[in-house]
CSV table of all heavy atoms in Angstrom, one decimal:
chain,number,residue,atom,x,y,z
A,254,ILE,N,140.7,27.9,-99.4
A,254,ILE,CA,139.9,28.4,-100.5
A,254,ILE,C,139.2,29.8,-100.1
A,254,ILE,O,139.3,30.7,-101.0
A,254,ILE,CB,138.8,27.4,-100.9
A,254,ILE,CG1,139.5,26.3,-101.7
A,254,ILE,CG2,137.7,28.1,-101.8
A,254,ILE,CD1,138.5,25.2,-102.1
A,255,PRO,N,138.6,30.0,-99.0
A,255,PRO,CA,138.0,31.3,-98.7
A,255,PRO,C,138.9,32.5,-98.9
A,255,PRO,O,138.6,33.5,-99.4
A,255,PRO,CB,137.5,31.2,-97.3
A,255,PRO,CG,137.3,29.7,-97.1
A,255,PRO,CD,138.4,29.0,-97.9
A,256,SER,N,140.2,32.3,-98.4
A,256,SER,CA,141.1,33.5,-98.5
A,256,SER,C,141.4,33.8,-100.0
A,256,SER,O,141.5,34.9,-100.3
A,256,SER,CB,142.4,33.2,-97.7
A,256,SER,OG,143.1,32.1,-98.2
A,257,PHE,N,141.6,32.7,-100.8
A,257,PHE,CA,141.8,33.0,-102.2
A,257,PHE,C,140.6,33.6,-102.9
A,257,PHE,O,140.8,34.5,-103.7
A,257,PHE,CB,142.2,31.6,-102.9
A,257,PHE,CG,143.6,31.3,-102.8
A,257,PHE,CD1,144.1,30.3,-102.0
A,257,PHE,CD2,144.6,32.0,-103.6
A,257,PHE,CE1,145.4,30.0,-101.9
A,257,PHE,CE2,145.9,31.6,-103.5
A,257,PHE,CZ,146.3,30.6,-102.7
A,258,LEU,N,139.4,33.1,-102.5
A,258,LEU,CA,138.2,33.6,-103.2
A,258,LEU,C,138.0,35.1,-102.9
A,258,LEU,O,137.7,35.9,-103.8
A,258,LEU,CB,137.0,32.8,-102.7
A,258,LEU,CG,137.0,31.4,-103.1
A,258,LEU,CD1,135.8,30.7,-102.5
A,258,LEU,CD2,137.1,31.1,-104.6
A,259,PHE,N,138.2,35.5,-101.7
A,259,PHE,CA,137.9,36.9,-101.3
A,259,PHE,C,139.1,37.8,-101.5
A,259,PHE,O,139.0,39.0,-101.7
A,259,PHE,CB,137.3,37.0,-99.9
A,259,PHE,CG,136.0,36.3,-99.9
A,259,PHE,CD1,135.9,35.1,-99.3
A,259,PHE,CD2,134.9,36.9,-100.6
A,259,PHE,CE1,134.6,34.4,-99.3
A,259,PHE,CE2,133.7,36.2,-100.6
A,259,PHE,CZ,133.5,35.0,-99.9
A,260,HIS,N,140.3,37.3,-101.6
A,260,HIS,CA,141.5,38.1,-101.9
A,260,HIS,C,141.5,38.7,-103.3
A,260,HIS,O,141.8,39.9,-103.5
A,260,HIS,CB,142.8,37.3,-101.6
A,260,HIS,CG,144.0,38.1,-101.8
A,260,HIS,ND1,144.3,39.2,-101.0
A,260,HIS,CD2,145.1,38.0,-102.6
A,260,HIS,CE1,145.5,39.7,-101.4
A,260,HIS,NE2,146.0,39.0,-102.3
A,261,ILE,N,141.0,37.9,-104.2
A,261,ILE,CA,140.9,38.4,-105.6
A,261,ILE,C,140.0,39.6,-105.7
A,261,ILE,O,140.2,40.5,-106.5
A,261,ILE,CB,140.6,37.3,-106.6
A,261,ILE,CG1,140.8,37.8,-108.1
A,261,ILE,CG2,139.2,36.8,-106.5
A,261,ILE,CD1,142.2,38.3,-108.4
A,262,ILE,N,138.9,39.5,-104.9
A,262,ILE,CA,137.9,40.6,-105.0
A,262,ILE,C,138.6,41.9,-104.5
A,262,ILE,O,138.4,43.0,-105.1
A,262,ILE,CB,136.7,40.2,-104.2
A,262,ILE,CG1,135.9,39.1,-104.9
A,262,ILE,CG2,135.8,41.5,-104.0
A,262,ILE,CD1,134.8,38.5,-104.1
A,263,ASP,N,139.4,41.8,-103.4
A,263,ASP,CA,140.1,43.0,-102.9
A,263,ASP,C,141.1,43.5,-103.9
A,263,ASP,O,141.1,44.7,-104.2
A,263,ASP,CB,140.7,42.6,-101.6
A,263,ASP,CG,141.5,43.8,-101.0
A,263,ASP,OD1,140.9,44.9,-100.8
A,263,ASP,OD2,142.7,43.7,-100.8
A,264,LEU,N,141.9,42.6,-104.5
A,264,LEU,CA,142.9,43.0,-105.4
A,264,LEU,C,142.3,43.7,-106.7
A,264,LEU,O,142.7,44.7,-107.1
A,264,LEU,CB,143.7,41.8,-105.9
A,264,LEU,CG,144.9,41.3,-105.1
A,264,LEU,CD1,145.5,40.0,-105.6
A,264,LEU,CD2,146.0,42.4,-104.9
A,265,ALA,N,141.3,43.0,-107.2
A,265,ALA,CA,140.7,43.6,-108.4
A,265,ALA,C,140.0,44.9,-108.2
A,265,ALA,O,140.1,45.8,-109.0
A,265,ALA,CB,139.7,42.5,-109.0
A,266,GLY,N,139.3,45.0,-107.1
A,266,GLY,CA,138.6,46.3,-106.7
A,266,GLY,C,139.6,47.4,-106.6
A,266,GLY,O,139.3,48.5,-107.2
A,267,ARG,N,140.7,47.2,-105.9
A,267,ARG,CA,141.7,48.3,-105.8
A,267,ARG,C,142.3,48.7,-107.2
A,267,ARG,O,142.4,49.8,-107.6
A,267,ARG,CB,142.8,47.9,-104.9
A,267,ARG,CG,142.4,48.1,-103.4
A,267,ARG,CD,143.5,47.9,-102.4
A,267,ARG,NE,143.7,46.4,-102.3
A,267,ARG,CZ,144.9,45.9,-102.5
A,267,ARG,NH1,146.0,46.6,-102.7
A,267,ARG,NH2,145.1,44.6,-102.4
A,268,HIS,N,142.6,47.6,-108.0
A,268,HIS,CA,143.2,47.8,-109.3
A,268,HIS,C,142.2,48.6,-110.2
A,268,HIS,O,142.6,49.6,-110.9
A,268,HIS,CB,143.5,46.5,-110.0
A,268,HIS,CG,144.0,46.6,-111.4
A,268,HIS,ND1,145.2,47.3,-111.7
A,268,HIS,CD2,143.5,46.2,-112.5
A,268,HIS,CE1,145.3,47.2,-113.0
A,268,HIS,NE2,144.3,46.6,-113.5
A,269,PHE,N,140.9,48.2,-110.2
A,269,PHE,CA,140.0,48.9,-111.1
A,269,PHE,C,139.8,50.4,-110.6
A,269,PHE,O,139.6,51.3,-111.5
A,269,PHE,CB,138.6,48.2,-111.1
A,269,PHE,CG,138.7,46.8,-111.8
A,269,PHE,CD1,137.7,45.9,-111.4
A,269,PHE,CD2,139.6,46.5,-112.7
A,269,PHE,CE1,137.8,44.6,-112.0
A,269,PHE,CE2,139.6,45.3,-113.3
A,269,PHE,CZ,138.7,44.3,-113.0
A,270,ASP,N,139.8,50.6,-109.3
A,270,ASP,CA,139.7,52.0,-108.8
A,270,ASP,C,140.8,52.8,-109.4
A,270,ASP,O,140.7,54.0,-109.8
A,270,ASP,CB,139.6,52.1,-107.3
A,270,ASP,CG,138.3,51.6,-106.7
A,270,ASP,OD1,137.3,51.5,-107.5
A,270,ASP,OD2,138.3,51.3,-105.5
A,271,HIS,N,142.0,52.3,-109.3
A,271,HIS,CA,143.2,53.0,-109.8
A,271,HIS,C,143.2,53.2,-111.3
A,271,HIS,O,143.5,54.3,-111.8
A,271,HIS,CB,144.5,52.2,-109.4
A,271,HIS,CG,144.8,52.2,-108.0
A,271,HIS,ND1,145.4,51.2,-107.4
A,271,HIS,CD2,144.5,53.1,-107.0
A,271,HIS,CE1,145.5,51.4,-106.1
A,271,HIS,NE2,145.0,52.6,-105.8
A,272,GLU,N,142.7,52.2,-112.0
A,272,GLU,CA,142.7,52.3,-113.4
A,272,GLU,C,141.7,53.4,-113.8
A,272,GLU,O,142.0,54.2,-114.7
A,272,GLU,CB,142.2,50.9,-114.0
A,272,GLU,CG,142.5,50.7,-115.4
A,272,GLU,CD,142.1,49.3,-115.8
A,272,GLU,OE1,140.9,49.0,-116.2
A,272,GLU,OE2,143.0,48.4,-115.8
A,273,GLU,N,140.5,53.4,-113.2
A,273,GLU,CA,139.5,54.5,-113.5
A,273,GLU,C,140.0,55.9,-113.2
A,273,GLU,O,139.8,56.8,-113.9
A,273,GLU,CB,138.2,54.2,-112.8
A,273,GLU,CG,137.5,52.9,-113.4
A,273,GLU,CD,136.3,52.5,-112.6
A,273,GLU,OE1,135.8,53.3,-111.7
A,273,GLU,OE2,135.8,51.4,-112.8
A,274,THR,N,140.8,56.0,-112.1
A,274,THR,CA,141.4,57.3,-111.7
A,274,THR,C,142.3,57.7,-112.8
A,274,THR,O,142.3,58.9,-113.2
A,274,THR,CB,142.1,57.2,-110.3
A,274,THR,OG1,141.1,56.8,-109.4
A,274,THR,CG2,142.7,58.5,-110.0
A,275,ILE,N,143.1,56.8,-113.3
A,275,ILE,CA,144.1,57.1,-114.4
A,275,ILE,C,143.3,57.6,-115.6
A,275,ILE,O,143.7,58.6,-116.3
A,275,ILE,CB,145.0,55.9,-114.7
A,275,ILE,CG1,146.0,55.7,-113.5
A,275,ILE,CG2,145.8,56.2,-116.0
A,275,ILE,CD1,146.8,54.4,-113.5
A,276,MET,N,142.3,56.8,-115.9
A,276,MET,CA,141.5,57.2,-117.1
A,276,MET,C,140.9,58.6,-117.0
A,276,MET,O,141.0,59.4,-117.9
A,276,MET,CB,140.3,56.2,-117.3
A,276,MET,CG,140.7,54.9,-117.8
A,276,MET,SD,139.2,53.9,-118.1
A,276,MET,CE,139.6,52.5,-117.0
A,277,LEU,N,140.3,58.9,-115.8
A,277,LEU,CA,139.7,60.2,-115.6
A,277,LEU,C,140.7,61.3,-115.5
A,277,LEU,O,140.3,62.5,-115.6
A,277,LEU,CB,138.8,60.2,-114.3
A,277,LEU,CG,137.5,59.3,-114.5
A,277,LEU,CD1,136.9,59.2,-113.1
A,277,LEU,CD2,136.6,59.9,-115.5
Side-chain angles (χ1 to χ4, degrees):
I254 287 175
S256 63
F257 274 105
L258 297 177
F259 294 107
H260 184 60
I261 189 60
I262 292 169
D263 179 57
L264 278 175
R267 281 186 285 126
H268 175 65
F269 292 156
D270 286 346
H271 293 149
E272 198 174 87
E273 290 172 15
T274 299
I275 290 168
M276 287 184 237
L277 289 171

